[in-house]
Amino acid sequence: MELFKKSIVVGVSVTPEIGLEVAQIDFATRTVLKYANRPLEYDINRRDIADLDIFKETLKDVMDELAIPKGASIVLNLPTVVFKVNDYPAALDEAQVSNAIEDELGEYPLFQNTDPCSSATVLPNSTIQFNKVAYTAAQRATIVEVVMAIKDLGYKTLAIDTSVNSTLNALMLKDRVNTEGDVSWVLLLVENNCCRILPMNGRNYVDAFEERISIGEVLGDAENYSTVISAVSPLLKNLPSQYLC
């Protein structure tokens, strides 16, 4: 976040429930200067943008509408495909941890026919024996094509993030969560096909769980709420925390 505090950047977000969102943001004043969105189909089963050509066309339309100048820096936000928090022996070096993550990703059906692109970080709440590592991964081919589309339109990709990290960053930027000291809390993200339960210690991830669900407009609110509660209640009961967000 420090990188953007004195910069005006353009956020481009693929949000399954909304489509493609574009916002020009002044991080110095925490102000949204311009905003627009367009429908964009997202394949929930493949966890991927349904049509990358349509993505490029839609992005061009929105950027033109907002009169975003060529050469502007873009922060790209994509739906989370895989997000994990694991402990690895502290004796492992960075390359060995990367190999371990690659082996784990190879077990996902999503990556049987396409290579993953992953990003990992060692968390401060590690121990002498184990490094706690948070990593996210998505389809490499999709990321390459999206970045190339942005370049072809005359813009530059400054950073790429996923919905889990973006949500947490937004909550902290707006002071919506108490992350001081060793406050234990839980971040719950509800998507159309899954619930993500993220135990937190201050600003740091402690673990990550995913429960598959099926909700949507065809069901009433009561059914959707019941589905979410049934999916997350067993886990939440075993996660002592000071509050749930």
Side-chain angles (χ1 to χ4, degrees):
M1 300 301 293
E2 295 294 329
L3 179 62
F4 309 132
K5 282 188 175 178
K6 296 182 179 179
S7 303
I8 294 177
V9 298
V10 178
V12 172
S13 181
V14 176
T15 309
E17 297 81 7
I18 299 174
L20 181 68
E21 298 179 279
V22 176
Q24 188 182 56
I25 302 170
D26 185 341
F27 274 86
T29 60
R30 301 186 182 187
T31 303
V32 176
L33 305 176
K34 299 178 181 179
Y35 172 83
N37 66 69
R38 290 283 192 285
L40 180 71
E41 186 178 353
Y42 186 83
D43 190 323
I44 294 294
N45 294 321
R46 292 193 301 113
R47 298 195 181 191
D48 204 354
I49 298 170
D51 190 314
L52 288 166
D53 289 332
I54 293 178
F55 164 83
K56 184 176 180 180
E57 294 171 6
T58 305
L59 179 59
K60 181 181 184 305
D61 288 345
V62 179
M63 299 295 264
D64 288 347
E65 176 191 333
L66 297 180
I68 303 297
K70 300 295 184 181
S73 297
I74 287 179
V75 176
L76 178 65
N77 174 57
L78 297 173
T80 297
V81 176
V82 173
F83 181 84
K84 294 280 289 182
V85 177
N86 278 346
D87 290 332
Y88 299 96
L92 296 182
D93 60 26
E94 186 175 339
Q96 290 171 317
V97 172
S98 295
N99 289 336
I101 291 173
E102 186 174 335
D103 290 342
E104 292 167 13
L105 291 174
E107 299 176 3
Y108 284 82
L110 284 169
F111 298 121
Q112 295 301 314
N113 298 312
T114 184
D115 292 332
C117 178
S118 62
S119 176
T121 184
V122 178
L123 301 173
N125 48 336
S126 299
T127 65
I128 296 177
Q129 292 82 14
F130 293 95
N131 283 329
K132 189 173 289 293
V133 176
Y135 71 84
T136 187
Q139 298 89 334
R140 181 181 297 277
T142 297
I143 291 177
V144 170
E145 289 200 43
V146 168
V147 171
M148 289 304 298
I150 291 172
K151 182 179 179 181
D152 289 345
L153 292 176
Y155 305 99
K156 55 185 178 182
T157 304
L158 183 64
I160 302 175
D161 212 342
T162 59
S163 55
V164 167
N165 286 327
S166 293
T167 299
L168 180 61
N169 287 338
L171 289 169
M172 292 191 298
L173 183 69
K174 300 299 290 183
D175 297 323
R176 296 291 298 274
V177 291
N178 178 11
T179 56
E180 295 180 2
D182 293 326
V183 175
S184 295
W185 60 288
V186 176
L187 176 61
L188 169 62
L189 301 177
V190 180
E191 303 172 8
N192 281 343
N193 66 333
C194 75
C195 292
R196 299 184 189 277
I197 300 107
L198 307 169
M200 305 288 299
N201 185 9
R203 293 171 173 261
N204 301 315
Y205 298 111
V206 174
D207 211 332
F209 305 96
E210 180 179 313
E211 291 293 323
R212 301 288 288 183
I213 60 171
S214 179
I215 62 175
E217 295 179 359
V218 296
L219 301 176
D221 286 344
E223 290 88 348
N224 283 330
Y225 292 143
S226 177
T227 297
V228 172
I229 292 170
S230 297
V232 303
S233 290
L235 271 170
L236 293 178
K237 288 178 181 178
N238 296 315
L239 294 174
S241 59
Q242 292 173 253
Y243 67 92
L244 169 71
C245 180

